[in-house]
Amino acid sequence: MTPPHPSADKSVALVTLGCTRNEVDSEELAGRLLAEGWRLVDDASEADVAVVNTCGFVEQAKKDSIDALLEASDLKGEGRTQKVVAVGCLAERYGKELADQLPEADAVLGFDSYRDMSAHLQTILAGGHVESHTPGDRRTLLPLTPVERQQGSAGVSLPGHGDARPDLADAAVPVPASGPRVIRARLDGRPWAPLKIASGCDRRCAFCAIPMFRGAFVSRRPADIVAEGRWLAEQGVKELFLVSENSTSYGKDLGDLALLEKLLRELTAIEGIERVRVSYLQPAEIRPGLLRAMADTPGVVPYYDISFQHASEPLLRSMRRFGSREAFLDLLARVRADAPQAGIRCNVIVGFPGETEADLDELEAFLTEARLDVVGVFGYSDEDGTEAEGYAGHLAPEVVAERLDRFTRLVEELNAQRAEERIGEHVVVLVEEIDDEDGSVIGRADFQGPDVDGVTIVQVPDGAPVPAVGELVEAVVVGTEGIDLLAEPR
């Protein structure tokens, strides 16, 4: 029996931590809850129930998620907040263990609870009990063969894929008149939005636990992605940021590894969409056809988010990855041959078990030669259940910390130098913010990704009209502040 809709005064706040994939999941949850009569509020202190969408990626992210849950729990009894519910990756990964260690959370719910979130929240608010999630390896929930997963995934929740329930057919969620339904509600007014194209990962990197709690790789069907892209454009979105755990695998379970190239053409053709940005590219899976499509499709920005992780071939092998300094530099040369102004970012791990000074020399040589725009440096830490957890050759924490500090300082210098190389370049800036204090116009050039890749500050002359948020401004780079660019309108 379908539970009744909550009364109109029942409110929920969604607190999101972690990556843009989590942001999509939160907006899908928001769409489901809105459709079932909940009132969405921004401030957890003004909500009857706070739903904290946690991150379980690395140790610091886990701590941040627990802090957010405790902070929300502290609101109980002081304001409107009555209950706090944990969802997301940390909840999926640890479930009952997290619930036992964090009694301040009134429930710890996994991904398969998302479809029935309204009923769960009503039960919890009424003083009832919802059983905490029992963790398991989500890779075992789908067929081993990728081509069979599209038929075998009906009983498995894929957050952010917008898999609709029949009882939402007449819901308040904005949906197309026909075709795929969009179950999503915007939680911010930004002129860009993440758009999930796939979930899960089939790679077996020795340091990574994500496939265990996100599951095997599943592509979203192109029609669903395009429908959501159109809906986002109707909400005022100018830039679509395509996200997944591994975008280069897109289409393999749909029988067409070139499907991403075709999808890019469909998304850039959507009225109102000015930019499409691709993220999470695995270097071992990047195909020449994909590079050509990214460079040649009008509207696809020259942005290459490539997961290198290291540059020493022996260490990459130990990580269960492929590549080398020479192979990666060759890939970058091919990228820049097609897209000379390409923005290229990556993450690297230092302090992996068995890492030698020779490995570090190889990584330093690669980073110095590569001229990358942004590099995120992570110090290795064990992740529960991963292969590397059992490796010999673990380095002392102080050694990992020293290497982290050394390479963080190196990439800060190298990335600042790369920004300086862009002085004199013509850029098109998507305006995202007007500073309330000094009126500065802040946005991103097409080769800058959101949140972590720096910004472009457009210095509008006195008396000139100030562009609006969401507007595209042609400018020329005249200076830098670290990785941030200073530009003047053309």
Side-chain angles (χ1 to χ4, degrees):
M1 180 171 134
T2 302
H5 283 197
S7 58
D9 64 341
K10 292 299 183 185
S11 57
V12 59
L14 285 148
V15 180
T16 307
L17 293 96
C19 65
T20 48
R21 300 184 293 272
N22 251 17
E23 292 181 20
V24 177
D25 297 352
S26 284
E27 292 200 345
E28 183 185 291
L29 275 175
R32 292 183 182 279
L33 293 171
L34 182 65
E36 301 210 29
W38 291 83
R39 180 166 56 87
L40 302 176
V41 298
D42 295 330
D43 190 339
S45 67
E46 299 175 1
D48 293 297
V49 57
V51 177
V52 181
N53 190 353
T54 60
C55 178
F57 177 46
V58 293
E59 197 61 36
Q60 186 58 53
K62 298 174 194 174
K63 291 177 180 177
D64 291 344
S65 294
I66 291 172
D67 287 345
L69 285 163
L70 292 172
E71 183 178 344
S73 180
D74 287 343
L75 299 172
K76 292 191 288 187
E78 295 186 3
R80 180 174 179 130
T81 309
Q82 301 174 46
K83 302 292 182 180
V84 174
V85 174
V87 299
C89 292
L90 192 69
E92 175 66 37
R93 187 173 180 184
Y94 293 104
K96 290 184 176 180
E97 179 184 347
L98 178 63
D100 291 342
Q101 295 180 3
L102 197 70
E104 293 85 351
D106 297 285
V108 176
L109 305 180
F111 296 144
D112 292 333
S113 299
Y114 284 19
R115 290 191 181 109
D116 298 310
M117 188 58 65
S118 177
H120 294 321
L121 297 187
Q122 289 178 71
T123 297
I124 293 163
L125 275 176
H129 175 70
V130 176
E131 190 69 22
S132 292
H133 167 63
T134 301
D137 189 337
R138 289 187 71 84
R139 292 173 295 189
T140 64
L141 301 181
L142 293 170
L144 183 64
T145 305
V147 294
E148 296 176 347
R149 291 177 192 156
Q150 292 290 327
Q151 291 74 39
S153 62
V156 179
S157 180
L158 299 171
H161 282 227
D163 46 337
R165 278 175 42 181
D167 56 325
L168 294 185
D170 299 320
V173 182
V175 297
S178 62
R181 294 193 295 275
V182 176
I183 302 180
R184 183 169 179 173
R186 297 298 317 275
L187 294 175
D188 58 64
R190 300 178 306 195
W192 68 274
L195 176 57
K196 190 173 284 192
I197 65 171
S199 290
C201 185
D202 287 341
R203 302 188 71 85
R204 294 294 182 266
C205 301
F207 53 81
C208 184
I210 290 175
M212 285 185 281
F213 58 85
R214 276 290 182 178
F217 184 87
V218 180
S219 302
R220 283 186 77 186
R221 291 191 173 274
D224 296 337
I225 298 171
V226 174
E228 191 165 316
R230 289 197 185 102
W231 180 81
L232 288 167
E234 292 167 1
Q235 313 307 306
V237 169
K238 302 295 184 183
E239 177 182 308
L240 300 176
F241 186 36
L242 308 187
V243 298
S244 69
E245 274 75 33
N246 178 6
S247 296
T248 35
S249 280
Y250 181 75
K252 72 176 187 179
D253 51 331
L254 295 171
D256 186 357
L257 263 176
L259 198 54
L260 180 55
E261 292 94 302
K262 301 168 188 174
L263 179 63
L264 293 177
R265 292 194 292 271
E266 292 191 62
L267 292 173
T268 54
I270 294 173
E271 184 177 356
I273 296 300
E274 302 285 350
R275 292 177 169 175
V276 174
R277 185 179 305 276
V278 184
S279 65
Y280 302 105
L281 303 174
Q282 288 289 342
E285 297 182 39
I286 294 177
R287 305 171 301 281
L290 177 58
L291 291 182
R292 286 194 300 272
M294 291 178 66
D296 296 344
T297 305
V300 176
V301 295
Y303 175 78
Y304 298 80
D305 174 14
I306 305 176
S307 178
F308 289 123
Q309 302 300 348
H310 211 282
S312 165
E313 186 171 9
L315 197 71
L316 285 165
R317 290 286 185 178
S318 182
M319 289 178 168
R320 302 299 184 210
R321 296 179 64 84
F322 302 94
S324 64
R325 173 164 62 103
E326 293 78 8
F328 292 163
L329 290 172
D330 177 70
L331 172 59
L332 295 180
R334 287 185 281 129
V335 167
R336 291 179 170 128
D338 288 333
Q341 282 192 305
I344 306 172
R345 77 167 330 273
C346 79
N347 292 324
V348 297
I349 297 171
V350 294
F352 189 79
E355 183 182 59
T356 65
E357 284 298 327
D359 295 325
L360 293 175
D361 290 343
E362 195 75 354
L363 177 59
E364 181 172 348
F366 167 70
L367 294 172
T368 302
E369 294 178 67
R371 295 170 50 245
L372 301 170
D373 291 82
V374 179
V375 179
V377 184
F378 292 86
Y380 173 81
S381 61
D382 280 336
E383 288 295 319
D384 297 334
T386 59
E387 182 181 354
E389 187 182 23
Y391 279 7
H394 274 64
L395 303 175
E398 58 270 22
V399 175
V400 176
E402 184 278 326
R403 294 181 180 186
L404 175 62
D405 177 67
R406 168 183 161 188
F407 275 84
T408 297
R409 287 186 284 109
L410 172 66
V411 301
E412 285 176 351
E413 179 181 350
L414 293 173
N415 294 163
Q417 291 173 4
R418 175 63 181 136
E420 290 174 359
E421 291 178 7
R422 293 196 179 275
I423 293 176
E425 285 188 10
H426 289 182
V427 294
V428 179
V429 180
L430 175 64
V431 177
E432 294 186 328
E433 179 185 354
I434 308 297
D435 190 285
D436 292 333
E437 294 185 5
D438 61 12
S440 297
V441 176
I442 303 170
R444 288 178 294 110
D446 54 7
F447 49 75
Q448 292 174 311
D451 292 339
V452 293
D453 289 348
V455 298
T456 298
I457 302 168
V458 181
Q459 301 170 327
V460 180
D462 291 341
V466 177
V469 171
E471 190 173 336
L472 292 168
V473 177
E474 294 187 5
V476 60
V477 180
V478 296
T480 65
E481 293 180 354
I483 64 171
D484 295 336
L485 306 179
L486 307 177
E488 294 178 352
R490 290 173 57 191

